[in-house]
Amino acid sequence: MSCETASRNATAPEPGIAPGAQTLDVRAIARAIGRHGRHPALPATIPGFDAPFFQAGLAGYSDAAMRLIARRHGCPLCVTEALLDRTLLSGGRGFAKADLGELHDNVPGGEDDHPLVGQLMGSDPGEMAAAAVKMVEQGARAAREYRELAGGGAIGNGQLAIGRDAPEASLPSHSDPIANCQLPIATFQAIDINLACPVKKIAKKARGGHWLAEPQGAIAILKAVRDALPERVPCTLKIRRSYDDTPEMARNFMRIFDAAYDLGYAWATVHARTVQQKYVGPSRWDLLRDIVQQRPGRVVFGSGDIWQVQDIFRMIGYTGVAGVSVARGCIGNPWIFRQARDMMAGEDPRPPTIAEQRQVLEDHFALALRVNATMRDPEHVTGKTMRKFAIRFAQHHPAGEEVRKRFIGVKGLEEWRGVLGEWYEQ
Ligand SMILES: Cc1cc2nc3c(=O)[nH]c(=O)nc-3n(C[C@H](O)[C@H](O)[C@H](O)COP(=O)(O)O)c2cc1C
């Protein structure tokens, strides 16, 4: 369930609030970025991060299959969905599926699933720090040891240099990107702390976006994680622009935001909706622009209402962010990344042909089957997951509504192929 809420799709695609943005010449902005390059901090922080956009963490969607498809279409960086620190520390056992983040969806998808940022969320600084170390080390130590580190209060106070002295996780070579994904294949390239998820508190403990109402606790988490990780592992932050629209909460945001950079976080991705808004209503690009202007020199990414490729460059041009997090706009639309690269090359963004759509539908299903291979009924699980994507994929088809209806009934691979044969023949 993670950061999903019942209202996650309540916002019909509409632009963020950005007076004057519609008149910007997005083609010129894209071309200028293509010619002069993206912000130097991007590849300097994460080698390979060579374009000013990435695929956001999207609980329930952004597993290795979706990430690999995005990368094949030019996405330079992906973030996993938010994983609850305790889920990671417990190895996934003892936590209901409905709780936050599943280990399964956060497992790297092999050599091609890089660079990858692992996202964590939680309520306790010690547990968050231990979980971050475990994530970076890919569980190189015994599970019990990480739990002891989390409970022992030794993290970040210099008593135990966890992470710093730990050996790099060994990198076995794998030819198959997904089949071996339960094994430690490679470490994550950065750790992202989620202070944005609007899902309610549990047992009166804050987590995700609810930390915006408790800035001291939020900063304690940011500090514990940064202190626990070796310097070579960048830390980043995902945060909402505020908890709500009161001046007090806006001040809280600034306090946490500033603290993150002071602590050495490489950048923050600011979702320009409040926590209270969840996913409903427009995001406030105007306020995002204010934040960027108030803190020149800071590397800031923007999130909210990126529905089509032009929005990426419109947000950069309007707000001055260094880059953009693409979220709902890339569900069933990996071509948004190819189109962004088209525009940076000064070309028109190419819509996907029917043949390209079919190829992606086949590849995504095949990858998802392999991601789900260890489940009891992989085909059933995959059919269910892929239905969510198919509804979005169908939007590219000239007979979108009919195709969508056909996909809704799909339960397994045979039926999936049936729809492809019926609607996606040349
Ligand atoms: C279904 C769903 C799941 C999400 N899961 C996560 C998550 O795990 N981590 C995260 O940082 N953001 C998550 N988000 C938030 C998105 O990354 C993004 O900030 C938000 O959707 C705003 O962008 P958009 O309006 O362009 O979709 C999720 C959003 C949705 C709709």
Side-chain angles (χ1 to χ4, degrees):
M1 191 59 168
S2 200
C3 278
E4 291 180 88
T5 73
S7 60
R8 68 190 183 278
N9 287 322
T11 300
E14 59 170 336
I17 294 177
Q22 292 307 324
T23 60
L24 290 174
D25 184 348
V26 287
R27 281 166 184 269
I29 296 166
R31 250 196 332 267
I33 294 170
R35 236 184 280 122
H36 306 300
R38 34 50 223 127
H39 196 294
L42 277 51
T45 306
I46 301 182
F49 190 6
D50 68 349
F53 46 83
F54 65 85
Q55 181 176 280
L58 281 161
Y61 292 92
S62 57
D63 62 3
M66 183 183 180
R67 296 194 301 262
L68 287 169
I69 293 288
R71 292 178 193 283
R72 289 175 190 177
H73 289 83
C75 177
L77 178 81
C78 294
V79 182
T80 66
E81 71 175 69
L83 179 64
L84 195 63
D85 54 357
R86 287 189 169 188
T87 305
L88 183 56
L89 292 175
S90 72
R93 286 183 298 277
F95 285 86
K97 194 172 153 52
D99 206 340
L100 290 138
E102 290 177 69
L103 280 177
H104 179 74
D105 290 335
N106 291 273
V107 174
E111 286 162 1
D112 294 335
D113 193 14
H114 291 278
L116 180 62
V117 177
Q119 193 182 73
L120 283 169
M121 169 160 66
S123 302
D124 177 81
E127 288 177 0
M128 282 289 279
V133 172
K134 184 172 182 181
M135 200 172 224
V136 167
E137 294 179 347
Q138 285 282 281
R141 311 172 191 211
R144 187 174 37 82
E145 202 181 329
Y146 291 109
R147 284 200 297 273
E148 281 168 11
L149 288 172
I155 290 168
N157 63 7
Q159 289 177 32
L160 262 182
I162 63 165
R164 286 192 178 81
D165 296 340
E168 298 251 10
S170 59
L171 309 179
S173 67
H174 297 290
S175 52
D176 184 333
I178 296 284
N180 296 305
C181 69
Q182 305 301 326
L183 299 170
I185 288 170
T187 52
F188 291 89
Q189 275 65 57
I191 295 296
D192 193 49
I193 300 304
N194 183 308
L195 300 183
C197 175
V199 171
K200 271 205 254 127
K201 293 179 180 191
I202 37 156
K204 295 192 184 135
K205 281 189 170 182
R207 65 183 178 191
H210 294 267
W211 279 119
L212 277 153
E214 299 176 41
Q216 218 169 319
I219 294 166
I221 284 184
L222 294 176
K223 179 168 171 23
V225 171
R226 187 56 281 178
D227 285 354
L229 290 176
E231 248 173 64
R232 67 185 149 80
V233 180
C235 288
T236 58
L237 169 65
K238 172 73 184 287
I239 188 167
R240 296 261 179 163
R241 69 168 172 82
S242 187
Y243 183 81
D244 60 26
D245 276 314
T246 60
E248 183 200 347
M249 292 298 166
R251 279 194 299 275
N252 284 352
F253 165 85
M254 267 308 178
R255 208 175 135 196
I256 300 167
F257 179 83
D258 283 340
Y261 291 91
D262 293 345
L263 286 165
Y265 279 62
W267 55 70
T269 300
V270 180
H271 179 177
R273 291 187 178 85
T274 63
V275 176
Q276 274 199 341
Q277 256 185 290
K278 296 183 175 140
Y279 299 100
V280 186
S283 59
R284 295 285 305 265
W285 290 15
D286 53 344
L287 298 181
L288 182 57
R289 180 170 65 171
D290 290 349
I291 293 165
V292 174
Q293 285 177 356
Q294 282 166 31
R295 294 294 186 270
R298 297 227 198 275
V299 181
V300 182
F301 281 78
S303 168
D305 290 318
I306 303 298
W307 301 106
Q308 47 189 341
V309 64
Q310 290 81 3
D311 296 331
I312 294 176
F313 301 106
R314 193 172 293 117
M315 180 187 261
I316 292 174
Y318 185 78
T319 65
V321 291
V324 169
S325 157
V326 186
R328 282 172 291 182
C330 65
I331 298 174
N333 184 22
W335 298 284
I336 194 169
F337 299 113
R338 177 179 84 181
Q339 292 172 338
R341 290 200 184 258
D342 285 345
M343 288 187 71
M344 283 165 57
E347 291 159 13
D348 285 338
R350 284 166 292 165
T353 62
I354 295 285
E356 286 168 342
Q357 292 175 42
R358 181 184 181 132
Q359 190 65 53
V360 163
L361 285 159
E362 278 175 2
D363 292 352
H364 198 156
F365 200 104
L367 285 167
L369 262 181
R370 289 153 72 192
V371 167
N372 296 325
T374 54
M375 302 206 165
R376 201 183 297 153
D377 186 349
E379 199 170 320
H380 178 74
V381 175
T382 304
K384 235 171 100 185
T385 320
M386 289 308 297
R387 276 204 300 268
K388 293 189 296 188
F389 283 102
I391 290 166
R392 304 295 189 97
F393 275 120
Q395 289 171 357
H396 300 280
H397 197 284
E401 189 47 30
E402 284 164 90
V403 178
R404 190 183 72 85
K405 281 188 191 141
R406 282 285 284 112
F407 271 128
I408 286 172
V410 167
K411 293 202 179 63
L413 189 51
E414 261 332 285
E415 287 162 313
W416 184 264
R417 288 196 175 129
V419 184
L420 298 191
E422 199 180 324
W423 289 98
Y424 289 85
E425 288 296 346
Q426 282 300 296

